[in-house]
Amino acid sequence: MTDHQPDDNNSEGLDESRRDFLKHSSLLTAMALTPSTVLKAASSQWDERLAGAFEKISLSLEVNGTKHSLAIEPRVTLLDLLREQLALTGTKKGCDYGQCGACTVHVDGRRVLACMSLAVMQEGRKVTTIEGLAGGDTLHPMQEAFVKHDGLQCGYCTPGQIMSAVACIREGHANSAEEIQEYMSGNLCRCGAYPNIVAAIMEVKKEGKKL
Amino acid sequence: MIPVEFDYKKAISVEEALEALSSGDSKLLAGGYSLIPAMKLRLNQPSMLIDIGGIASLKGIEEEDGQIIIKAGTTHNDILNNDLIKTHLPFFHEAASMIGDVQVRNRGTIGGSLAHADPAADWPALVLVAEATIDVVGTGGKRNIKAADFFTGLFTTALAENEIITAIRIPIPANGSRMVYLKFENPASRFAVVGCAVLRSSDKKTTIAFTGVADYAFRDTAAEQVVSGKILDTNTIADAMNAAVYGVNVLSDNFASEDYRRHLAKVYLKRALQAIA
């Protein structure tokens, strides 16, 4: 008996995966040919998995002062929501694993990594991206300082650097070059513009404007 | 990469989270900074995430009966900036300042870190030397797990599948106690290649723990015995270094070979003991 058991399990496994495959393929075919049939099937729970494919969660959040009511899949990150659905491509996808800081945004005033936050976790929160800093054509003081001090070369990390830099001053951690280096350590710049980034932050801090 | 599909539920109370946790292959989501990257790599594929980030009773730091109680959902940054921690547990303050970067500290939680049990995480060494208790609740009721019994393997703890960490209770060290946490950090991630925590009371009772060294953080009882009750002079510290990390299966990876890591552990123990001597 015990000799047969693994085989039985195997055949069950095959059946299971065949069933899954059929469901997937029926989903793909249906999507290509008759979307209305798929929706009907989903609503009548003819195929739970099919319905699952359409399962989205409602989400209300505020981005740069604009309120959004959306329906999204739970697996969408805040970064992908911003870039792919709200067309706010200023926030960059660097590593996508929380190592580089290019996707830094502010959520309820705190700097966080958009690539490691699910969009659905932001219900009711206020998000500020690089697009939300400038007032029309008037650059934010930190943006001006980055331009003045040449705080970038290729520019890919710059939106994240600037969002972190603004937070760094607000948090009260921009009192010396060493402190700025420590509190900007979550944002990498592979071009090596670090000295100029520090100079830009020190200047904005010195000006003492409310950020 | 994008994680496989999953369902999402936002729990507003521990009871609600427990109920959801008992159904199927679900996982708790706190800060998400360890879980979400693991799911993107598809190392982890839960069918449902239960978001406990909005549960108010899981946040905050209190003092009660000679203990500091850190609720599980408290972020590293909130621990860093807390006055009770600065006053009573300065090495927790110090350790919090060394975790990742500000963005990570704004989202990561102490409960999440303990439950995840990364072999190179900082908090495990601290809760071990402080002889903390981990409060957990499950469908079967409440339990209080001693830190010494909590870490059981690589990314493995004494938590049952249907249990949630609610708080970490840390006895306030007696007046005159000295405490320190030192680490040799990975310069990119700031995880500990080797981390050493030491707590020593004025009557010279000493606890020592290492993180980053083995599959999971551990108390080094052999080194503790060498220094407990003795004055921390050069000879005693040398004896402690000799005794430390004995019989431990030391990790070896790209950052540090087994020999180098073992050496680092002894050096960091020396520096930690010198710092509190």
Side-chain angles (χ1 to χ4, degrees):
Chain A
M1 279 302 285
T2 46
D3 283 341
H4 290 285
Q5 218 154 357
D7 284 335
D8 290 342
N9 283 345
N10 271 345
S11 66
E12 263 179 41
L14 282 175
D15 274 349
E16 199 60 44
S17 60
R18 193 179 301 128
R19 221 173 290 137
D20 280 350
F21 171 73
L22 288 172
K23 280 178 187 171
H24 279 304
S25 59
S26 70
L27 168 65
L28 290 174
T29 318
M31 283 212 319
L33 298 176
T34 56
S36 58
T37 320
V38 179
L39 289 173
K40 205 174 153 193
S43 65
S44 65
Q45 296 186 332
W46 166 70
D47 184 331
E48 278 180 18
R49 203 178 183 93
L50 207 55
F54 288 88
E55 198 162 301
K56 292 185 174 181
I57 286 182
S58 63
L59 169 70
S60 301
L61 81 173
E62 197 178 306
V63 181
N64 300 332
T66 306
K67 289 194 166 114
H68 294 274
S69 290
L70 307 152
I72 53 156
E73 273 192 87
R75 60 175 163 172
V76 173
T77 60
L78 175 58
L79 177 59
D80 285 341
L81 172 73
L82 292 170
R83 291 182 56 85
E84 310 291 334
Q85 295 189 43
L86 302 181
L88 294 169
T89 52
T91 307
K92 299 303 180 203
K93 184 180 277 195
C95 68
D96 209 22
Y97 286 92
Q99 294 157 6
C100 73
C103 66
T104 302
V105 298
H106 298 176
V107 174
D108 289 345
R110 285 187 164 194
R111 48 173 152 158
V112 303
L113 300 169
C115 78
M116 295 215 289
S117 308
L118 297 175
V120 286
M121 295 163 78
Q122 317 307 322
E123 174 66 35
R125 295 183 186 269
K126 290 182 178 163
V127 179
T128 307
T129 70
I130 188 73
E131 289 92 343
L133 283 190
D137 287 337
T138 311
L139 290 180
H140 183 277
M142 191 62 77
Q143 291 172 312
E144 272 182 0
F146 267 63
V147 172
K148 182 180 166 192
H149 288 275
D150 220 0
L152 57 132
Q153 199 177 108
C154 82
Y156 198 78
C157 72
T158 310
Q161 297 282 0
I162 290 177
M163 295 312 287
S164 244
V166 170
C168 183
I169 291 182
R170 285 184 186 158
E171 292 159 7
H173 292 305
N175 300 307
S176 67
E178 292 72 29
E179 194 180 20
I180 291 169
Q181 283 165 0
E182 170 61 26
Y183 281 86
M184 290 294 292
S185 70
N187 292 76
L188 305 184
C189 168
R190 291 298 79 163
C191 303
Y194 295 119
N196 299 357
I197 292 171
V198 173
I201 298 172
M202 289 187 79
E203 181 174 289
V204 176
K205 164 75 181 172
K206 209 167 140 191
E207 284 169 354
K209 285 184 194 160
K210 192 172 185 308
L211 298 182
Chain B
M1 252 165 68
I2 295 169
V4 294
E5 290 171 70
F6 56 85
D7 292 329
Y8 171 88
K9 180 176 174 59
K10 192 167 184 75
I12 54 159
S13 67
V14 173
E15 293 71 29
E16 204 179 88
L18 278 175
E19 198 183 309
L21 194 55
S22 61
S23 65
D25 171 29
S26 33
K27 263 206 166 294
L28 297 173
L29 172 69
Y33 277 22
S34 295
L35 180 58
I36 292 168
M39 288 173 63
K40 282 185 180 180
L41 289 168
R42 306 202 171 190
L43 297 171
N44 220 318
Q45 306 188 359
S47 59
M48 176 159 72
L49 288 188
I50 304 154
D51 187 351
I52 55 171
I55 301 179
S57 68
L58 290 181
K59 293 186 191 303
I61 299 171
E62 295 162 7
E63 182 181 353
E64 190 186 290
D65 300 334
Q67 295 180 318
I68 298 295
I69 299 165
I70 306 178
K71 305 288 184 62
T74 309
T75 64
H76 310 313
N77 206 31
D78 287 343
I79 296 172
L80 177 65
N81 295 323
N82 184 274
D83 288 334
L84 284 172
I85 298 289
K86 285 181 197 166
T87 308
H88 297 295
L89 296 165
F91 68 158
F92 273 64
H93 170 78
E94 190 69 14
S97 77
M98 300 181 197
I99 296 174
D101 50 53
V102 181
Q103 289 97 314
V104 168
R105 298 198 288 263
N106 273 337
R107 275 288 173 267
T109 66
I110 187 168
S113 170
L114 295 177
H116 186 54
D118 190 297
D122 298 300
W123 291 131
L126 279 286
V127 297
L128 279 169
V129 291
E131 301 189 303
T133 306
I134 322 280
D135 287 0
V136 308
V137 60
T139 39
K142 293 181 178 177
R143 285 204 293 156
N144 311 103
I145 308 173
K146 285 180 184 166
D149 300 328
F150 188 77
F151 304 101
T152 57
L154 190 73
F155 297 107
T156 312
T157 68
L159 267 183
E161 271 184 18
N162 59 358
E163 283 180 323
I164 298 178
I165 302 178
T166 53
I168 295 91
R169 289 173 186 274
I170 307 139
I172 295 175
N175 279 341
S177 297
R178 317 265 334 244
M179 54 200 95
V180 65
Y181 177 65
L182 295 179
K183 76 167 163 178
F184 183 88
E185 61 186 24
N186 175 317
S189 70
R190 294 209 167 167
F191 271 108
V193 176
V194 163
C196 179
V198 181
L199 173 60
R200 185 167 158 96
S201 65
S202 53
D203 61 2
K204 303 190 183 66
K205 180 192 175 247
T206 311
T207 50
I208 296 169
F210 286 107
T211 188
V213 175
D215 277 355
Y216 53 100
F218 62 94
R219 283 267 296 270
D220 197 321
T221 47
E224 288 177 2
Q225 275 167 19
V226 170
V227 297
S228 282
K230 295 208 191 89
I231 291 167
L232 289 177
D233 56 21
T234 317
N235 286 340
T236 308
I237 291 175
D239 289 346
M241 286 173 72
N242 282 333
V245 203
Y246 180 76
V248 173
N249 198 358
V250 174
L251 291 172
S252 182
D253 56 27
N254 290 344
F255 307 115
S257 68
E258 183 184 335
D259 288 347
Y260 180 50
R261 200 178 236 109
R262 187 181 292 276
H263 172 75
L264 274 178
K266 290 169 185 278
V267 169
Y268 272 74
L269 173 62
K270 176 169 97 175
R271 291 183 186 174
L273 292 174
Q274 285 172 339
I276 58 165

